Amino acid sequence: MGPAAARLRGLARRAARPAVGVSIVLVLGTDLFFLTQRNVTTPVSLNQSVARFRASQATTTTTALVQPTAPTTTVPTASPGRRATTATTAALTGAGSKPGASAPSASGPFTAPAEGVYAYATTGNETVSLGNARHDYPSESFATLRHGPGCRWDFEHRVIEEHVETAHYCGLPDVLQFLSNTQKETFYGQTQSVDFTCDPPETEVRVGDDPGTKRTFACSISDGSHAVETVTYLGRDQLTVDGTAVEAFHVLIEGTESGKVNGTSRLEKWVHPVSGLLVREVVHVVSHSQAFGATVDYQEDASYKLERLDPTT
């Protein structure tokens, strides 16, 4: 070994100690981050939800005042999500479901629910395998409902700040369509947004179906994965909401995902017989995918039950 090589080797030895120290600090810092962040869950209050709703209403009103006319006709693209589809002109205007059909009457299905904030008794949690992170849901969560163009209405369920789903529906005469959904999950400060699109739009309820009626839809996920969903109509069930009997439509939505996302989903839903508003839901989702920079197993088990038929505005 020559003198220069010896000096370089000595420099390497001297540099090694601080490098090891830095590595230890980084590891300890990473461990501390995982320990403090893996179960961060931020409940959302009724007051916060109502404030968001009022702010959105004020923005809509201001926009209308600034632009009192609408010289162009635009068909908006529905936001994608758990199951999502680009809204068609017929879906947004309420036309095209039957020859000569018009918007649904005020007395029959399906009319848009009243705007405002709806409260849901909530149970359950979601987990990811990365660091064994877990979100335990609060005992009550809130969904904000807003009217869109034509027959469309939007249902933003902010279960917690780290789990937000925004779904878009269309109420046609005797048909409730699911148009689109965006689901956002946040773990370790990183938000993962999932879009799910079914084309044609998914029919969740069709009045007149016999119990056991099934419909299957081919769907796509925003990362290039694919899914097949089967909607089964299970009949009418009587539920009680704040002392009022509701004869709800009962459906089961089962999905199988493949590609970059592999997994299954089972959504059991009860919806209001006139508006299509979610009255009760039981959710079970299991998936395996690339997320947050790693291979992650995800599972959600949750249930939601409407507490009051009238929203808070």
Side-chain angles (χ1 to χ4, degrees):
M1 181 187 298
R7 287 196 298 271
L8 287 172
R9 189 176 182 90
L11 180 61
R13 283 199 299 269
R14 289 194 297 273
R17 287 194 181 94
V20 169
V22 170
S23 297
I24 292 172
V25 170
L26 288 174
V27 169
L28 290 175
T30 301
D31 287 345
L32 181 62
F33 177 78
F34 270 72
L35 288 173
T36 58
Q37 297 296 313
R38 67 180 181 178
N39 297 329
V40 170
T41 302
T42 310
V44 180
S45 70
L46 175 61
N47 287 341
Q48 289 172 317
S49 301
V50 172
R52 278 195 181 96
F53 170 71
R54 290 174 178 170
S56 69
Q57 296 296 94
T59 301
T60 302
T61 301
T62 302
T63 302
L65 291 173
V66 173
Q67 298 177 333
T69 61
T72 60
T73 301
T74 302
V75 178
T77 300
S79 302
R82 183 201 76 210
R83 300 185 314 278
T85 182
T86 301
T88 62
T89 303
L92 293 176
T93 61
S97 60
K98 295 179 180 178
S102 59
S105 66
S107 60
F110 284 96
T111 59
E115 291 186 309
V117 177
Y118 292 87
Y120 287 86
T122 303
T123 66
N125 60 76
E126 62 180 350
T127 61
V128 295
S129 58
L130 180 64
N132 295 318
R134 177 186 176 106
H135 293 151
D136 287 315
Y137 295 162
S139 59
E140 187 177 45
S141 61
F142 303 96
T144 300
L145 194 144
R146 303 177 181 89
H147 293 166
C151 66
R152 201 189 83 191
W153 50 275
D154 306 333
F155 185 83
E156 179 189 274
H157 194 177
R158 196 171 291 264
V159 183
I160 52 177
E161 290 291 359
E162 294 78 15
H163 183 121
V164 183
E165 297 187 38
T166 304
H168 307 276
Y169 294 89
C170 170
L172 299 173
D174 296 336
V175 177
L176 177 65
Q177 287 186 329
F178 181 96
L179 299 178
S180 65
N181 179 285
T182 297
Q183 180 166 317
K184 294 183 178 179
E185 308 277 356
T186 302
F187 284 95
Y188 300 111
Q190 297 187 61
T191 299
Q192 181 92 358
S193 182
V194 177
D195 300 336
F196 195 112
T197 304
C198 297
D199 190 11
E202 188 166 282
T203 298
E204 286 205 349
V205 178
R206 182 181 293 275
V207 177
D209 278 349
D210 293 325
T213 299
K214 295 178 183 286
R215 292 183 177 87
T216 301
F217 299 85
C219 310
S220 61
I221 303 172
S222 53
D223 68 353
S225 301
H226 301 281
V228 175
E229 289 210 329
T230 299
V231 181
T232 304
Y233 175 60
L234 300 178
R236 301 285 290 271
D237 291 344
Q238 183 170 298
L239 304 179
T240 301
V241 180
D242 194 25
T244 301
V246 177
E247 200 76 16
F249 290 106
H250 185 187
V251 298
L252 175 64
I253 305 168
E254 297 172 294
T256 302
E257 294 80 37
S258 60
K260 292 181 181 179
V261 176
N262 293 280
T264 60
S265 60
R266 186 182 193 276
L267 311 175
E268 192 169 2
K269 302 178 67 175
W270 290 259
V271 304
H272 193 275
V274 175
S275 67
L277 177 69
L278 180 69
V279 176
R280 183 184 174 198
E281 183 177 31
V282 179
V283 177
H284 176 69
V285 178
V286 177
S287 69
H288 177 81
S289 63
Q290 294 293 319
F292 309 108
T295 301
V296 176
D297 295 318
Y298 171 86
Q299 181 166 326
E300 181 187 17
D301 288 283
S303 68
Y304 308 99
K305 188 177 187 301
L306 185 65
E307 294 182 322
R308 296 175 291 278
L309 289 171
D310 295 326
T312 302
T313 57

